């Protein structure tokens, strides 16, 4: 029997050669674990150049101080120790001064979004002391460290890193590798995470650019928009002090979402210290104050503040600072 030789198509040999070269060549080492996969995802979804993305990530550094900081958040303190951090004479007085200096803008933004202006001011007061302390860490370092080296919350922070790399230049306050923020990767006066910049940042000054570092209209407008989009109710209360009776039912809640009408909590032994609508949806927080337990009815607007930071301590500090600022502005205006 005669064997007939057949020609293999040349492209098969070329493909085989490429496969062998790839299989036998050493893999390019990642600067950070999971970097290659992350770059592939961002490049596929945004069309950004993988080489540019890799260059950005190659320049980022794992920071041990960031890993140390996230292990001891201030929200782990008791209310009696947490409150004095934020409710100080200086923070209140500087908030009053900030409100009065920027009154037209603050109140115009408040009206546009239906958010009480003192709460907009209080957010930037609590977050960055009215823009004075916006953070010392490179945002890229922070999110690489927490997204690629911190397993307890890697899923969240990796997603934030991915969003940061995906944001267009028009939503960044400068070149991505120069941005500075908190140890958690939040940036600007309002300390927005990348997903919040994407979802809630607004170009309030109309210059075609969302700048949460240097544009006060964009900063205040974005905070107000965040509250509005999370369900802030114009003119509604935030909290009310509660007094339990001797037989009050112990109540534990997993978050601050309103769960019961006030009249239900009243039936369980908690009386409001001011006149309130008994049908108002509410929840209850018990906090460790300087003189023992403090009991607070909390409402929808309190819950909205916890969408900014999930800690009830944070939300109550924002509320009390806002109230002190509003009272101070009224007093100064009355005495003018």
């Amino acid at each position: 029997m005669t064997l007939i030789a057949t020609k293999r198509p040349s492209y098969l040999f070329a493909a085989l050669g490429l496969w062998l070269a790839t299989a036998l060549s050493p893999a390019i080492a990642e600067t950070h674990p999971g970097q290659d996969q992350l770059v592939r995802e961002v490049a596929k979804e945004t069309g950004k150049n993988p080489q540019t993305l890799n260059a950005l990530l190659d320049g980022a550094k794992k920071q041990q101080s960031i890993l140390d900081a996230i292990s001891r958040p201030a929200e782990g303190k008791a209310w009696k120790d947490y409150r004095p951090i934020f409710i100080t004479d200086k923070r209140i007085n500087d908030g009053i001064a900030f409100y009065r200096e920027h009154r037209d803008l603050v109140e115009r933004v408040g009206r546009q979004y239906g958010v009480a202006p003192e709460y907009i001011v209080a957010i930037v007061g609590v977050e960055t002391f009215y823009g004075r302390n916006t953070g010392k860490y490179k945002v890229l370092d922070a999110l690489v460290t927490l997204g690629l080296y911190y397993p307890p919350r890697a899923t969240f922070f990796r997603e934030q890193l991915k969003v940061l790399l995906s944001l267009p230049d028009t939503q960044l306050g400068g070149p991505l590798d120069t941005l500075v923020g908190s140890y958690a990767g939040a940036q600007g006066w309002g300390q927005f995470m990348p997903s919040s910049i994407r979802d809630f940042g607004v170009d309030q000054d109309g210059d075609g650019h969302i700048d949460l570092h240097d544009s006060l209209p964009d900063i205040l407008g974005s905070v107000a928009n965040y509250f509005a989009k999370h369900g802030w109710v114009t003119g509604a209360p935030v909290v009310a002090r509660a007094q339990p009776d001797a037989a009050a039912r112990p109540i534990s809640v997993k978050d601050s979402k309103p769960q019961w009408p006030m009249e239900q909590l009243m039936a369980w032994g908690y009386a409001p210290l001011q006149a309130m609508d008994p049908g108002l949806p509410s929840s209850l927080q018990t906090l460790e104050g300087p003189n023992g337990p403090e009991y607070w009815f909390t409402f929808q607007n309190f819950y909205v503040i916890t969408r900014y930071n999930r800690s009830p301590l944070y939300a109550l500090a924002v509320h009390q600072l806002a109230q002190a600022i509003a009272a101070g502005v009224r007093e100064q205006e009355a005495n003018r």
Side-chain angles (χ1 to χ4, degrees):
M1 181 167 136
T2 305
L3 296 178
I4 301 173
T6 58
K7 284 189 175 182
R8 303 288 185 192
S10 60
Y11 70 82
L12 290 178
F13 290 104
L16 178 61
L18 179 61
W19 179 86
L20 286 171
T22 302
L24 296 176
S25 63
I28 298 174
E30 297 178 303
T31 302
H32 306 287
Q35 177 174 327
D36 288 350
Q37 177 61 32
L38 179 66
V39 167
R40 283 196 294 269
E41 291 174 21
V42 175
K44 180 180 179 181
E45 294 173 16
T46 67
K48 289 192 174 185
N49 187 318
Q51 290 182 324
T52 301
L53 295 170
N54 270 314
L56 286 168
L57 292 170
D58 288 344
K61 296 179 181 178
K62 174 188 174 184
Q63 300 279 3
Q64 183 59 43
S65 58
I66 291 172
L67 297 172
D68 295 339
I70 200 169
S71 68
R72 53 174 189 273
E75 285 77 13
K77 298 178 181 291
W79 171 239
K80 63 184 177 63
D81 301 316
Y82 184 91
R83 186 182 188 277
I85 299 173
F86 299 104
I87 311 301
T88 64
D89 289 344
K90 181 165 180 56
R91 205 178 297 254
I92 292 168
N93 291 333
D94 286 3
I96 295 168
F98 180 93
Y99 189 115
R100 296 190 67 191
E101 179 182 357
H102 304 288
R103 184 167 195 155
D104 288 347
L105 173 62
V106 169
E107 294 187 348
R108 182 170 69 252
V109 167
R111 286 193 299 271
Q112 178 180 341
Y113 294 96
V115 178
E118 62 266 27
Y119 287 89
I120 304 171
V121 175
I123 285 289
V124 296
V126 167
E127 290 290 343
T128 60
F129 218 124
Y130 313 103
R132 292 178 197 161
N133 180 19
T134 57
K136 63 180 181 180
Y137 294 99
K138 280 194 170 183
V139 172
L140 201 54
D141 286 357
L143 294 178
V144 163
T145 298
L146 297 175
L148 304 181
Y149 295 95
Y150 186 61
R153 297 196 64 194
T155 299
F156 171 78
F157 284 109
R158 183 187 186 278
E159 179 62 23
Q160 293 302 314
L161 175 58
K162 184 177 175 181
V163 173
L164 177 71
L165 294 170
S166 303
L167 287 174
D169 292 343
T170 54
Q171 292 184 354
L172 295 171
L176 193 151
D177 57 349
T178 68
L179 299 174
V180 175
S182 74
Y183 70 80
Q187 56 188 293
W189 287 33
Q191 294 289 275
F192 271 38
M193 295 297 288
S195 61
S196 293
I197 297 173
R198 177 195 64 197
D199 297 338
F200 308 109
V202 295
D203 175 21
Q204 191 71 27
D205 60 15
D207 67 352
H209 193 93
I210 297 173
D211 185 353
L212 304 185
H213 292 263
D214 296 312
S215 169
L216 194 55
D218 290 4
I219 291 162
L220 301 181
S222 296
V223 171
N225 184 51
Y226 190 102
F227 274 23
K229 290 292 176 62
H230 281 84
W232 184 270
V233 181
T234 305
V238 176
V239 298
R241 195 70 181 267
Q243 178 63 51
D245 61 34
R249 170 179 171 174
I251 293 175
S252 176
V253 296
K254 65 178 181 179
D255 60 30
S256 302
K257 191 170 186 178
Q259 301 180 49
W260 310 280
M262 275 196 71
E263 58 190 358
Q264 178 63 75
L265 291 169
M266 293 165 67
W268 287 338
Y270 297 90
L273 298 185
Q274 63 192 81
M276 300 294 297
D277 176 2
L280 199 61
S282 62
S283 187
L284 187 80
Q285 289 288 335
T286 304
L287 304 177
E288 184 184 348
N291 300 311
E294 294 180 5
Y295 301 88
W296 295 89
F297 294 110
T298 64
F299 308 109
Q300 172 64 17
N301 286 346
F302 185 89
Y303 179 67
V304 169
I305 301 174
T306 66
R307 299 306 86 197
Y308 209 99
N309 180 313
R310 294 184 184 276
S311 169
L313 306 181
Y314 175 91
L316 191 55
V318 168
H319 167 72
Q320 292 190 353
L321 180 60
Q323 293 296 293
I325 290 170
V329 170
R330 288 193 299 268
E331 181 180 355
Q332 290 190 9
E333 293 295 317
N335 295 332
R336 194 169 57 175

